[in-house]
Amino acid sequence: MNILVINCGSSSLKFQLIDSESEKVSAKGLCERIGIEGSQLVYTPAGGEKITTVTPMPDHTQAIKLVLQALTDGKTGVVKSLDEIGAVGHRIVHGGEKFAASTLITDEVIQAIEECNELAPLHNPANLIGIAACRELMPATPMVGVFDTAFHQTMPEEAYMYGLPYEYYQKYKVRRYGFHGTSHSYVSHRAAEVLGQKCEDLKIIVCHLGNGASVSAVKNGKCVDTSMGLTPLEGLIMGTRSGDIDPAIIEFLAHKERKSIDDIMKVLNKESGVLGLSDGLSSDFRDLEDSYHKGEEAGVRTLKTFAYRVAKYIGAYTAAMNGVDAICFTAGLGENGPFVRNMICGYLGYLGISLDEEANCKRGEDVVISTAGSQTKVLVIPTNEELAIARETAALVK
């Protein structure tokens, strides 16, 4: 069965067409600058050349139309008609407490997703636009929603509650939800496969490190804690997000800088993280590593602080699970940052970790980067959220 995976952002749309039997990608691409001048479709069929088409995309419906035309094109398409697409899997960022697993999309499900919009105002509305566009153009094709928050719904109450008046949870569902769930699920299960063991028998910590970053504790195949909270702002220092801070800082800065709450939240989401910590040098870890090796204060300060924060979470989650069997690195920095991985693991001697320097420098493959004698295994597992979404979708529609 061909599964079309759709990931809609506010002005972008990523897609892949995946054969659920072979799990091979038949085609993939990206619609950029939707609703903005200069919009374009970048389309790459398997084994073919990348094709870039600059064309107006006033909305996501037009973007979906262009994607479907590309997939069925007589010369460069990979299917003869839309009838060959068995289902569409949609990434949805926030499912609140309503969705603990992927689900077939119905009118009732759409209404429930809309009720979560205020928890993810930048993401959920865009996800819903993509769903509406696909339902309009492919009315007979099953649609599945795969939620970033679903994997973390197994967290126990003591892990997801905040120390706030309980009425805020009762009235508004203010609690920790976590994100990157599709990635954490895929990586933890893939790590078990690489180690030749069952995920249900392992305690695994997954470090999803990139511009957005989070850590999760996966015990016996289920998430028991994760670093992001009500929103993706909580947790690790990220590209431009502050991560954990004293909440009183918000009031302090609002008074000092004479800014509104909205202004301060913009600072915390868009101007903080490693970008802010490096005094505006960069949110790209490659630039920060160059700065570090030059001995520049900004690069040294930023990478040391970032690595320390990741190591603290690993320590916390080792305690939460009363031990750890494997630590996995994934996502942009996690997969491609041997220097930062080494910095983080430098704090983990108490876990009996030693890295294999040669293995730690490999890229683009599943690899164990700890030595044979390391008491705790350390792995790099490239994430594949699109494949995970395709698997969830196929399982529901078969």
Side-chain angles (χ1 to χ4, degrees):
M1 181 192 304
N2 287 314
I3 306 292
L4 177 59
V5 176
I6 297 289
N7 182 355
C8 274
S10 58
S11 62
S12 66
L13 185 157
K14 292 191 290 186
F15 67 93
Q16 287 191 13
L17 188 68
I18 299 174
D19 183 324
S20 64
E21 302 299 325
S22 66
E23 296 194 338
K24 291 182 178 179
V25 178
S26 303
K28 62 182 179 180
L30 171 67
C31 296
E32 299 178 283
R33 299 177 64 83
I34 298 171
I36 305 170
E37 187 176 349
S39 53
Q40 63 179 23
L41 166 66
V42 180
Y43 168 75
T44 307
E49 297 293 323
K50 181 185 295 185
I51 302 167
T52 301
T53 305
V54 178
T55 183
M57 294 184 212
D59 52 36
H60 286 73
T61 301
Q62 179 62 22
I64 294 287
K65 284 182 180 178
L66 292 169
V67 168
L68 298 180
Q69 287 172 9
L71 292 172
T72 56
D73 183 84
K75 293 182 178 179
T76 58
V78 293
V79 292
K80 293 180 181 178
S81 74
L82 296 182
D83 294 337
E84 294 182 33
I85 297 176
V88 181
H90 294 269
R91 179 207 178 200
I92 301 170
V93 168
H94 216 307
E97 290 188 326
K98 302 176 187 295
F99 300 102
S102 301
T103 186
L104 283 166
I105 293 172
T106 63
D107 290 341
E108 291 75 20
V109 167
I110 288 175
Q111 182 178 346
I113 296 169
E114 288 174 345
E115 292 171 3
C116 296
N117 279 4
E118 63 182 354
L119 296 174
L122 297 179
H123 296 91
N124 269 31
N127 301 154
L128 286 165
I129 290 170
I131 292 170
C134 285
R135 292 181 94 196
E136 177 184 338
L137 298 168
M138 308 168 70
T141 305
M143 306 277 159
V144 171
V146 181
F147 300 86
D148 273 13
T149 50
F151 182 61
H152 305 304
Q153 284 295 299
T154 53
M155 286 192 293
E157 184 179 51
E158 61 268 26
Y160 68 69
M161 289 300 298
Y162 288 116
L164 296 170
Y166 190 63
E167 64 177 301
Y168 296 147
Y169 170 70
Q170 293 175 305
K171 290 195 293 187
Y172 311 119
K173 298 302 179 186
V174 174
R175 51 157 285 183
R176 302 180 65 250
Y177 290 98
F179 300 87
H180 297 142
T182 309
S183 175
H184 286 287
S185 175
Y186 174 84
V187 170
S188 56
H189 286 84
R190 179 60 187 147
E193 292 177 7
V194 171
L195 294 173
Q197 299 185 59
K198 294 181 179 179
C199 198
E200 292 76 13
D201 297 331
L202 295 172
K203 299 172 182 178
I204 299 173
I205 294 173
V206 178
C207 303
H208 178 111
L209 307 181
N211 191 54
S214 60
V215 183
S216 67
V218 183
K219 185 177 182 180
N220 307 131
K222 296 183 178 180
C223 178
V224 295
D225 208 342
T226 192
S227 57
M228 286 179 166
L230 175 73
T231 75
L233 186 57
E234 185 181 353
L236 297 178
I237 296 167
M238 306 177 218
T240 63
R241 296 183 187 124
S242 65
D244 297 335
I245 64 167
D246 178 348
I249 290 172
I250 297 173
E251 180 188 32
F252 180 84
L253 290 179
H255 289 320
K256 289 290 186 181
E257 296 286 320
R258 297 184 179 180
K259 292 180 180 292
S260 67
I261 292 293
D262 288 345
D263 291 335
I264 297 299
M265 294 307 297
K266 180 182 177 183
V267 171
L268 296 182
N269 276 291
K270 302 292 186 181
E271 301 170 20
S272 300
V274 295
L275 176 64
L277 193 54
S278 66
D279 199 21
L281 173 63
S282 182
S283 62
D284 190 313
F285 283 90
R286 291 169 294 188
D287 297 333
L288 296 169
E289 187 175 333
D290 288 343
S291 174
Y292 183 102
H293 290 307
K294 291 176 183 176
E296 296 173 353
E297 182 181 350
V300 172
R301 173 181 65 244
T302 303
L303 286 192
K304 288 178 70 174
T305 306
F306 176 82
Y308 178 73
R309 185 70 65 88
V310 177
K312 278 181 64 177
Y313 265 101
I314 291 172
Y317 289 166
T318 299
M321 296 190 293
N322 196 19
V324 60
D325 298 304
I327 297 168
C328 304
F329 291 95
T330 193
L333 175 64
E335 295 169 26
N336 300 295
F339 180 72
V340 175
R341 290 196 298 263
N342 191 63
M343 288 181 73
I344 294 166
C345 290
Y347 287 98
L348 308 178
Y350 66 96
L351 294 175
I353 287 175
S354 60
L355 293 187
D356 180 320
E357 292 185 16
E358 182 178 347
N360 189 37
C361 290
K362 292 182 179 180
R363 295 174 185 262
E365 60 181 294
D366 301 323
V367 59
V368 177
I369 63 171
S370 52
T371 62
S374 183
Q375 293 177 26
T376 303
K377 298 299 182 185
V378 183
L379 303 89
V380 174
I381 304 290
T383 192
N384 194 333
E385 294 174 271
E386 289 78 14
L387 177 57
I389 292 171
R391 287 174 174 173
E392 295 271 337
T393 302
L396 277 171
V397 301
K398 280 183 178 178

